[in-house]
Amino acid sequence: MNQTADYIENTAPGGGSRVAPRANLPTDANSIDLCGTWEFRFWPEVPNEPPTESFGNAPSNLIEVPSHWCLQNPQWGKPIYTNWRFPIPVDPPHIPHSNPTGDYQRCFHLPDDFVTGPEDRIYLRFEGVESVYIVYLNGHYIGWGQGSRLPTEFDVTDWAQDGENTLIIRVSQWSANTYLEDQDQWWLPGIFREITVLQRPGNGIEDAWIEADYEDGTGIIIPRIKASAESWPLTARIPAIDFDHTWDSQEELGAIEVGNVEPWSADCPALYHFELESRGETLSWKIGFRRIEIEGRQLLVNGIPLRLRGVNRHEISSLRGRVFDRAAARADLELMKRHNVNAIRTSHYPPHPHLLDLTDEMGFWVMDECDIETHGFERASWVGNPANDPIYRDNMVDRMQRMVERDKNHASIIFWSLGNESGTGENLAAMSAWVKLRDPNRPLHYEGDHEGVYTDLYSRMYPSLEELRAYSEPSGPLAPAHHEVSRLTPAECARQRERPFLLCEYAHAMGTGPGGIVDYHQAFNSIPGLLGGFVWEWRDHALSPTYQEASKLLYGGDFGEVIHDGNFVCDGLVDGNGQGRGGLAAWAASSSPISTQVTTEWLTITNHYHSRKANLSVQYRLESADGELKSGRLGSVELQAGHSTKMSLTSLIPSFPSASEETWLTFFLTETETRWPANIPPSQLVFPASSAPAPTKHPFVWAKRSGSVLGNATFGPHGELLRIGDFNVLSLTPELWRAPTDNDRGRGPLDYTFSDPGTSLGAGSGQRGTSTADRWDKEHLQHLTHRWLEPRHYKDSISAVVISSAPGERNRLETSITYRANEYGLMCDVTMVPLGQWQGYWGRAGLTLSIPEHAHSLSWCGLGPEETYPDMEAGSYLGHFSLLEPGSSKMPLRPQEWGRRSRLRWATLDFSSKTLAIKFETDDCSISVSDWSNSIIAETPHSWELPPSNDTFISIDLAHHGLGSRSCGPDVRPGHALAPRALRAQFWLST
């Protein structure tokens, strides 16, 4: 038969002995797990012969199930990463003749007592296969399936036999369903979730949905059960509250009050063991009682307004792709809990079913999203989009049904989502119509329903702050002219303003960043109706296939793909190994459920939890640049959700000794008596110095033919610093450029370089095009040349002036450095003045000190403990911190600017047997430390490709540009941007 014409290009939901979708519930009925080692044959295209003839006497390979074949053996194809472009020609439902295909074979033993009743059936269940597959059992055709991240069951009763059975599955990478699965992720073919043989008792339970409602302390169950006449009576039990109820027939089913219960919420995930017993089997799972309602602009759970502090979560492991590992998933969710995440959008498909068991148990608000994205059709203005093509209608509705039926019993799921970035069309409306009939109580989401015709929420991706504020206005446009939402009529805008507003994606966390997070969270807390959102995204998708070195993570293009989107797949708050970066710390601080405000009189504490009492212990520490002066415990607080309290400081602060130096008082709050304590950012008061000691000058010595010596510093003939103590240095060289971040390289429309977002509804230029990095490149900022003027020598100082300019440019930068020395070290008084008609923004304004030795550690007094930038300081606080291997620690996979330490009082670098100290007289300076120059960083594709280095490059910045999130979002806000301007700073170098 012609395999391609028969099922691979078929847009139907599937074929053969498929059974209706149902809930995924634990049962005491028999089952056989078919995971493990299978025989495998790989084909570069679909063979002409059926898979039953694939094996025979021909040699075959072995493969583990679940897995992706392209991550097992490089000869079995390669991973492909695209953001939205299809890696095959866009010609639905047709696909190329070249279609990587894998044949799987396994024998399994079916015990004689596997089937116990005459009406029993045998099902074969697939949890996930990419992208289309056909099934044979004992040589008989069973059926075919599609929907890569969705379950399919086949009834194999008529073909299964006692004893040995041979199961053969042919999987092809491309199919008509490929056009529905264009999610921003790797294309990874294979059987990547479990396969199970199931006994289905004839007198068992075909399907069960126990909707667990809650009202005024009372639990209510609403049973929806499918069972044959032979299954009754059915008994429901909740042992923890002594609930036991029997229904003798289907007609008796109805809502029942079960008594007093604790409600389920993400803050307090109270679960109850539930049993449902029929004549032939017992189902058992955990239920949570909660009520979801929309009242005007507010989404309520258990009568309390909801605020989402969420992340988008793809299912990805650097080693195994989308193969699920329960222990790793639990560790991932624990890391989320430790960083204040309370919500997950399962972008852009239903997760492995066990993940939802964990979200029920650990407490997360979940948006369960259907396995649909047709983003690649946007390139042709959505012509031919399957979302509006009748031949795909049944397929898309079927996908929604399979998700909802599988996951409907999970307390943590409070939204359904139709999918992602699929334009709009009748098929999406049909999906909506079905789910609203099936489950009218959970709100329905789809960002592409801009008019709000068939969904319940107003949803946006990456809106500007001005667009959030526009939602709170009584009228006017909701979006700038470049966005489709700008074309809504006044009536449609009014309809959306009456709904809860959700950011399904915001704060694109690619590379160093994202910047500006705190502004969004302030809006979430202040604009009525704004639900919050899901940051994009939780984890980088970098891969490290098992056949290569684990340390070498790879991104798009590294596998030789013809079409790819590079490192756009590395856009998570944590990297491919699960390690958080500065953006995660800033996001956690911005989204903390406990906030504080401090004055000299009061420490005000507010509990923003939805429904959890907070027990807090409050500690304080008084410090100066020299270290701790005093510390202690202020007290304890018990604070109900939604409430605030004040702790008096009127007796604490006067007790501190007076100090001539700057001091700061930090309050540390720790949540106690809870499994998942909040990550609460410290709060601080800074007390300025009452006086400052005068430095002692060191005698100046001038050597006419051998340069200049001042203290322990040696200078060249132009006044350039050559040596400080035992360190040879490569001057203090002015620099205006940084190794571009992923956000600097972004070309999104929210470009603020020459356009004020405040006057354009946040649009800025409103056009895709030139990135900040492009502008720097055009101005050749990375190629500054330097002309040293004749230095001026004085009795106790030397002044050097350097003119820096770029090739082909008239603009210049004049940097003056006056050096003085005393017993502490060398003082550097730096002034930087732009000359000419500078436009746009600089990346940094500072000096680079190069030392041909390796720094092993960095200690500093300033903001910490993580990296900070002008628009990414949330959660940081003044203190004393240290870091090993500062020149390479936590660098993103694609090398770029990172690791900045700001508002420094001092910093010390430890080398093998000596130290270099930098002390700042102005408190707005920063440094970053690298083992490589900025040019090498910018030119190197992967961090593991950086060459061995025994150098240290110290960037001492007088000012620095913000980060923004223009890789897929707004640019750096003007208040955090580095516009060319005159700057001055003073700092000391000592050894």
Side-chain angles (χ1 to χ4, degrees):
M1 64 179 171
N2 187 322
Q3 299 279 352
T4 299
D6 192 51
Y7 74 98
I8 291 181
E9 293 186 348
N10 197 329
T11 60
S17 62
R18 291 172 80 236
V19 297
R22 62 194 182 93
N24 181 64
L25 296 172
T27 174
D28 61 358
N30 294 323
S31 66
I32 300 172
D33 182 0
L34 296 186
C35 294
T37 304
W38 289 54
E39 291 183 81
F40 182 73
R41 293 288 301 276
F42 175 77
W43 310 94
E45 58 189 49
V46 182
N48 289 323
E49 68 272 11
T52 50
E53 300 177 12
S54 179
F55 292 91
N57 296 321
S60 60
N61 298 287
L62 298 179
I63 194 171
E64 290 300 305
V65 170
S67 69
H68 302 282
W69 68 61
C70 61
L71 298 183
Q72 298 294 302
N73 188 323
Q75 296 179 350
W76 298 343
K78 300 291 180 65
I80 299 171
Y81 167 62
T82 60
N83 170 24
W84 61 283
R85 294 176 295 175
F86 287 102
I88 61 172
V90 183
D91 184 24
H94 308 298
I95 51 95
H97 185 71
S98 176
N99 187 5
T101 295
D103 287 344
Y104 297 76
Q105 176 174 276
R106 169 164 180 166
C107 296
F108 65 91
H109 181 82
L110 198 66
D112 295 345
D113 59 353
F114 188 78
V115 172
T116 58
E119 301 300 323
D120 286 7
R121 310 299 293 174
I122 301 173
Y123 286 3
L124 183 63
R125 182 178 179 91
F126 293 81
E127 296 291 352
V129 183
E130 185 173 328
S131 73
V132 70
Y133 56 102
I134 190 167
V135 184
Y136 289 82
L137 183 62
N138 297 325
H140 300 283
Y141 166 74
I142 300 301
W144 65 275
Q146 56 78 34
S148 298
R149 272 71 65 173
L150 290 161
T152 296
E153 290 181 326
F154 298 95
D155 187 335
V156 299
T157 310
D158 295 342
W159 303 282
Q161 60 194 26
D162 292 344
E164 291 301 304
N165 291 262
T166 301
L167 178 62
I168 296 177
I169 306 162
R170 171 167 287 173
V171 181
S172 294
Q173 180 165 16
W174 311 122
S175 70
N177 300 282
T178 297
Y179 298 106
L180 295 177
E181 298 178 0
D182 189 26
Q183 290 98 339
D184 175 9
Q185 61 178 352
W186 295 97
W187 300 87
L188 299 172
I191 303 172
F192 65 95
R193 288 181 183 166
E194 298 81 0
I195 305 175
T196 314
V197 181
L198 302 172
Q199 175 211 10
R200 295 307 310 135
N203 55 356
I205 301 167
E206 184 179 344
D207 189 28
W209 178 14
I210 304 299
E211 187 173 0
D213 195 9
Y214 176 81
E215 184 175 18
D216 297 331
T218 298
I220 305 162
I221 61 169
I222 305 167
R224 297 178 175 89
I225 301 170
K226 293 181 182 179
S228 66
E230 293 76 19
S231 303
W232 303 85
L234 268 62
T235 299
R237 301 185 185 91
I238 308 176
I241 56 175
D242 297 325
F243 175 79
D244 190 311
H245 185 84
T246 298
W247 299 282
D248 291 322
S249 67
Q250 185 89 33
E251 291 71 28
E252 293 183 9
L253 292 177
I256 302 174
E257 291 188 0
V258 302
N260 293 331
V261 297
E262 292 294 324
W264 188 96
S265 72
D267 294 341
C268 302
L271 292 174
Y272 292 84
H273 181 79
F274 183 86
E275 295 177 0
L276 185 62
E277 182 181 356
S278 73
R279 290 183 183 273
E281 73 176 324
T282 299
L283 305 179
S284 59
W285 70 99
K286 293 180 179 180
I287 63 174
F289 294 90
R290 83 283 183 276
R291 175 172 291 184
I292 309 166
E293 302 168 285
I294 292 179
E295 292 186 0
R297 284 180 158 193
Q298 289 191 321
L299 177 65
L300 309 177
V301 179
N302 304 328
I304 304 171
L306 189 62
R307 180 79 69 242
L308 301 177
R309 307 185 302 273
V311 296
N312 281 273
R313 180 192 179 273
H314 268 284
E315 206 137 77
I316 190 68
S317 158
S318 61
L319 293 174
R320 303 185 68 195
R322 284 187 282 277
V323 176
F324 185 78
D325 181 295
R326 189 166 187 139
R330 179 180 287 277
D332 218 28
L333 298 189
E334 288 175 348
L335 186 62
M336 291 183 190
K337 280 288 190 182
R338 291 198 297 271
H339 289 86
N340 300 328
V341 176
N342 75 349
I344 294 171
R345 178 186 181 215
T346 68
S347 52
H348 298 294
Y349 43 82
H352 191 284
H354 289 329
L355 182 91
L356 299 173
D357 296 335
L358 294 175
T359 58
D360 287 349
E361 171 203 329
M362 299 171 68
F364 290 90
W365 310 111
V366 174
M367 174 181 285
D368 202 2
E369 189 152 270
C370 195
D371 190 9
I372 290 176
E373 180 167 337
T374 67
H375 200 173
F377 288 88
E378 184 180 17
R379 192 175 186 192
S381 301
W382 299 107
V383 173
N385 182 14
N388 206 36
D389 188 336
I391 68 171
Y392 277 99
R393 179 188 177 100
D394 290 347
N395 189 316
M396 292 176 65
V397 173
D398 175 78
R399 287 173 178 241
M400 194 70 188
Q401 291 170 341
R402 286 151 70 190
M403 176 182 73
V404 171
E405 299 297 356
R406 187 195 77 168
D407 297 340
K408 60 200 172 195
N409 284 287
H410 286 282
S412 56
I413 296 174
I414 62 168
F415 308 97
W416 301 117
S417 178
L418 298 176
N420 186 65
E421 291 179 315
S422 299
T424 190
E426 293 298 322
N427 297 343
L428 289 161
M431 295 167 65
S432 169
W434 178 86
V435 76
K436 284 178 176 289
L437 285 174
R438 180 60 169 146
D439 182 11
N441 293 326
R442 285 183 173 104
L444 184 60
H445 167 270
Y446 176 63
E447 183 268 345
D449 180 24
H450 298 312
E451 295 83 6
V453 176
Y454 48 83
T455 52
D456 301 311
L457 307 168
Y458 174 41
S459 177
R460 290 286 305 281
M461 294 180 179
Y462 310 105
S464 66
L465 294 172
E466 285 76 12
E467 291 170 89
L468 305 189
R469 297 174 189 132
Y471 165 75
S472 66
E473 297 295 329
S475 62
L478 287 167
H482 71 271
H483 197 280
E484 292 172 315
V485 169
S486 68
R487 294 187 280 278
L488 297 186
T489 67
E492 289 168 338
C493 287
R495 179 166 60 217
Q496 294 292 44
R497 282 187 168 97
E498 293 170 356
R499 300 177 175 206
F501 183 12
L502 171 69
L503 275 60
C504 65
E505 295 177 21
Y506 79 105
H508 197 255
M510 187 176 180
T512 303
I517 301 171
V518 69
D519 298 327
Y520 281 86
H521 285 262
Q522 288 173 351
F524 295 161
N525 292 327
S526 61
I527 297 177
L530 195 51
L531 275 178
F534 301 92
V535 69
W536 188 268
E537 64 179 308
W538 173 245
R539 178 187 284 266
D540 285 358
H541 297 225
L543 289 179
S544 182
T546 54
Y547 55 77
Q548 64 132 48
E549 293 181 48
S551 61
K552 292 186 176 180
L553 292 169
L554 304 175
Y555 51 71
D558 290 337
F559 295 95
E561 305 102 302
V562 175
I563 289 178
H564 66 86
D565 287 295
N567 74 317
F568 202 72
V569 78
C570 297
D571 51 7
L573 292 172
V574 302
D575 65 18
N577 293 317
Q579 299 298 311
R581 296 190 288 264
L584 175 61
W587 188 88
S590 301
S591 60
S592 176
I594 306 295
S595 67
T596 57
Q597 290 183 323
V598 62
T599 68
T600 55
E601 296 181 341
W602 301 101
L603 175 66
T604 303
I605 307 170
T606 303
N607 179 353
H608 300 282
Y609 277 119
H610 172 267
S611 49
R612 185 164 105 192
K613 178 180 68 175
N615 292 288
L616 302 165
S617 174
V618 184
Q619 310 285 329
Y620 69 87
R621 185 165 68 218
L622 181 68
E623 295 175 277
S624 71
D626 295 329
E628 182 179 309
L629 301 174
K630 185 178 181 180
S631 62
R633 184 172 181 271
L634 186 62
S636 298
V637 172
E638 182 180 284
L639 193 56
Q640 297 296 327
H643 288 73
S644 298
T645 190
K646 291 184 176 182
M647 301 182 76
S648 176
L649 305 179
T650 55
S651 60
L652 175 67
I653 293 178
S655 70
F656 296 151
S658 59
S660 59
E661 59 185 338
E662 177 192 52
T663 58
W664 52 87
L665 176 63
T666 311
F667 294 95
F668 300 92
L669 279 69
T670 304
E671 192 176 6
T672 61
E673 303 178 31
T674 180
R675 183 182 178 190
W676 306 115
N679 187 324
I680 307 171
S683 55
Q684 282 188 322
L685 280 175
V686 178
F687 304 105
S690 58
S691 61
T696 302
K697 295 180 181 179
H698 188 282
F700 172 73
V701 179
W702 170 244
K704 191 172 184 179
R705 292 183 179 269
S706 59
S708 302
V709 175
L710 185 63
N712 65 349
T714 303
F715 298 85
H718 302 296
E720 69 273 28
L721 181 64
L722 300 179
R723 187 174 179 85
I724 176 79
D726 294 331
F727 291 99
N728 292 317
V729 301
L730 185 60
S731 187
L732 280 168
T733 307
E735 190 158 18
L736 300 176
W737 182 74
R738 68 185 183 193
T741 67
D742 289 316
N743 289 309
D744 293 335
R745 298 177 189 271
R747 295 188 170 93
L750 303 188
D751 175 4
Y752 299 158
T753 300
F754 299 112
S755 302
D756 183 358
T759 61
S760 58
L761 201 54
S765 71
Q767 297 180 352
R768 294 186 58 84
T770 307
S771 71
T772 299
D774 292 337
R775 294 186 176 107
W776 293 342
D777 186 62
K778 182 180 178 180
E779 295 169 359
H780 301 290
L781 289 189
Q782 69 272 41
H783 300 302
L784 285 185
T785 60
H786 309 288
R787 178 169 58 91
W788 295 84
L789 305 185
E790 187 70 21
R792 296 182 179 181
H793 303 99
Y794 301 97
K795 181 179 179 181
D796 58 358
S797 66
I798 182 171
S799 291
V801 177
V802 57
I803 304 298
S804 304
S805 53
E809 299 294 327
R810 293 185 61 84
N811 294 326
R812 294 165 293 154
L813 175 72
E814 181 179 283
T815 303
S816 302
I817 312 175
T818 298
Y819 299 97
R820 290 184 173 84
N822 66 9
E823 294 178 356
Y824 177 81
L826 181 71
M827 173 181 264
C828 308
D829 190 336
V830 182
T831 301
M832 306 184 85
V833 179
L835 304 174
Q837 302 297 317
W838 288 91
Q839 295 182 348
Y841 297 130
W842 293 336
R844 61 163 27 105
L847 305 168
T848 296
L849 183 66
S850 306
I851 298 176
E853 298 183 44
H854 179 70
H856 298 287
S857 67
L858 169 69
S859 299
W860 74 96
C861 176
L863 291 185
E866 300 293 339
E867 63 185 354
T868 50
Y869 289 83
D871 55 356
M872 198 179 79
E873 291 186 350
S876 63
Y877 58 97
L878 282 175
H880 298 80
F881 309 97
S882 62
L883 179 69
L884 295 176
E885 298 301 326
S888 58
S889 177
K890 295 189 177 183
M891 176 185 280
L893 178 56
R894 181 180 183 174
Q896 57 194 272
E897 163 67 32
W898 98 109
R900 181 175 179 263
R901 316 295 164 182
S902 60
R903 301 196 188 182
L904 293 174
R905 275 57 177 168
W906 57 258
T908 300
L909 285 156
D910 290 323
F911 295 79
S912 295
S913 58
K914 50 192 175 183
T915 62
L916 175 68
I918 310 172
K919 182 181 178 183
F920 296 89
E921 296 291 340
T922 46
D923 62 7
D924 52 0
C925 291
S926 63
I927 70 165
S928 57
V929 180
S930 174
D931 293 345
W932 304 274
S933 67
N934 283 329
S935 59
I936 290 176
I937 290 172
E939 294 165 0
T940 305
H942 304 86
S943 56
W944 47 265
E945 289 185 296
L946 287 163
S949 172
N950 196 42
D951 297 327
T952 300
F953 297 85
I954 308 166
S955 295
I956 304 173
D957 292 337
L958 283 64
H960 203 98
H961 190 52
L963 298 172
S965 60
R966 198 181 164 207
S967 55
C968 192
D971 203 352
V972 179
R973 302 287 299 185
H976 299 302
L978 178 51
R981 62 181 187 270
L983 298 161
R984 184 183 179 189
Q986 293 180 322
F987 57 88
W988 297 78
L989 299 176
S990 63
T991 60

